[in-house]
Amino acid sequence: MSDQEQNSAPTSGARRGVLAGAAAGLAGVMAGNARAQSTSQGSTDAPPLADPRKLYPHEPFPAQPQPWPGLASKMHPRPDHGEKSYKGSGKMAGRKALITGGDSGLGRATAIAFAREGADVAINYLPQEEEDAREVIALIRQAGRKAVALPGDIREEAFCQKLVADAVSQLGGLDALVNCAGRQHYHESILDLSTEDFDWTLKTNLYALFWITKAAIPHMPPGSSIVNTASSNAYNPGEIILDYALTKAGIANFTKGLAKQILPKGIRVNAVAPGPFWTALQVCGGQPMSAVEKYGTTVPMGRPGQPAEIAPIYVHLATTESSYVTGQIFGITGGTGAPG
């Protein structure tokens, strides 16, 4: 274009184009100003800034012993699993997930989050936990997603194989596996830890992880994700939960090794390592009642975490947002800085 052409007066069609462009630009500026104003005034779509130490309940908690396996619905205060707060954005639309321990605690929060992100979800739990599980199934369905209830004891290899087969059959596939079920029961001394209890913990936390993962991998296409649940005890073991801590260290190690092994299949494997979280695991023998009453005071946050606060990490690790992340352990420990 010559200098003369650049400086010549526009035709009527060109003038209309200039005016339309100016109008569009003005509209964009106005929209931007509106967004800025909305942000400065506090958007209704996002929670306001708040001191994280004061967001949720802290000690003293009432003594509240429950028989194993414990129900979240009978805890005081009831844990927050995101029932009212979690808002999805379609990050897992069309995905198909199996979550163990999906009735309460971290598994329940993850099931709610996955469903609200668009995934169909199958949950496993013990038959004694049916009361809590029914609530989760209802919440998944309220999100407009398919919910599959698969009760049973994962200490049996045959059941673990059936669990995966039933999940694949009823969901129509499987591309996300969250191993969240776990057993924790304190013993003040190793001399009080029976072989039966030791076996119970290892079968629930390690053997089931192995059996379920082994059964699931052949069904999982490239792009799938496995998320395991370790613990800060894998790195700083508590002296009264030796068997539990041992299994959590094993889960962390298993996660890192398996991630290398199955990356050629296009499947990622990561783990979350929580610190103190307010779940039914703690009130049914996971800790002595004296520890439950002041639970969470040993970390800088000064309170236990709520399951709703950890669910977004499980979502992130299950989605393609974390496509370059595998073999990692994510510590959510209330300020201790562990694990690395």
Side-chain angles (χ1 to χ4, degrees):
M1 180 182 293
S2 67
D3 289 341
Q4 184 178 359
E5 288 173 329
Q6 285 182 321
N7 295 328
S8 63
T11 63
S12 59
R15 281 197 297 273
R16 284 194 297 272
V18 169
L19 291 173
L26 179 60
V29 170
M30 293 175 66
N33 289 340
R35 285 192 296 271
Q37 184 179 10
S38 173
T39 300
S40 65
Q41 293 177 350
S43 171
T44 57
D45 294 331
L49 285 175
D51 186 334
R53 299 167 300 168
K54 301 174 182 177
L55 277 175
Y56 289 101
H58 55 78
E59 60 86 26
F61 296 103
Q64 48 191 292
Q66 290 191 41
W68 176 264
L71 294 173
S73 54
K74 298 189 183 303
M75 291 179 67
H76 305 286
R78 281 192 63 152
D80 181 358
H81 306 92
E83 290 92 342
K84 296 181 179 179
S85 61
Y86 193 94
K87 295 178 175 62
S89 57
K91 294 178 181 178
M92 298 187 70
R95 300 288 298 276
K96 305 174 191 305
L98 169 61
I99 302 171
T100 66
D103 60 293
S104 67
L106 313 188
R108 177 185 180 125
T110 301
I112 293 168
F114 277 21
R116 292 182 184 172
E117 293 292 355
D120 293 332
V121 182
I123 63 168
N124 162 253
Y125 53 94
L126 289 168
Q128 304 97 301
E129 298 167 316
E130 185 66 38
E131 181 179 337
D132 280 356
R134 280 198 299 267
E135 295 179 351
V136 181
I137 293 297
L139 288 164
I140 295 170
R141 289 173 178 162
Q142 286 171 18
R145 306 313 307 171
K146 188 172 189 177
V148 178
L150 298 171
D153 192 336
I154 58 175
R155 288 180 294 169
E156 299 295 331
E157 181 176 9
F159 173 74
C160 289
Q161 294 170 342
K162 184 177 185 300
L163 170 65
V164 172
D166 288 349
V168 171
S169 174
Q170 296 188 50
L171 292 174
L174 183 66
D175 53 48
L177 170 63
V178 177
N179 288 300
C180 209
R183 172 172 168 79
Q184 176 184 326
H185 200 282
Y186 82 93
H187 295 87
E188 296 286 356
S189 167
I190 190 173
L191 303 180
D192 301 325
L193 176 57
S194 68
T195 299
E196 180 183 8
D197 275 336
F198 186 81
D199 186 63
W200 190 348
T201 302
L202 265 66
K203 282 283 181 66
T204 303
N205 297 3
L206 280 181
Y207 277 67
L209 173 79
F210 167 67
W211 290 327
I212 293 169
T213 302
K214 184 178 179 181
I217 288 172
H219 300 282
M220 304 183 81
S224 297
S225 179
I226 298 171
V227 187
N228 297 322
T229 305
S231 168
S232 58
N233 281 279
Y235 301 85
N236 184 25
E239 66 272 22
I240 63 173
I241 46 175
L242 296 180
D243 52 340
Y244 174 82
L246 178 155
T247 64
K248 292 302 177 174
I251 290 170
N253 192 276
F254 178 84
T255 296
K256 293 179 179 181
L258 184 64
K260 298 173 185 177
Q261 183 186 116
I262 66 173
L263 186 56
K265 297 180 181 292
I267 302 172
R268 296 180 300 106
V269 188
N270 294 286
V272 180
F277 271 78
W278 188 242
T279 72
L281 195 67
Q282 306 307 325
V283 300
C284 62
Q287 300 282 345
M289 275 301 117
S290 58
V292 170
E293 291 170 3
K294 56 184 180 180
Y295 197 55
T297 58
T298 58
V299 298
M301 194 69 74
R303 64 167 178 86
Q306 293 290 327
E309 296 181 281
I310 202 170
I313 301 297
Y314 284 92
V315 170
H316 178 67
L317 293 175
T319 68
T320 53
E321 286 185 340
S322 59
S323 56
Y324 199 64
V325 180
T326 195
Q328 297 295 135
I329 314 296
F330 285 76
I332 315 296
T333 58
T336 66

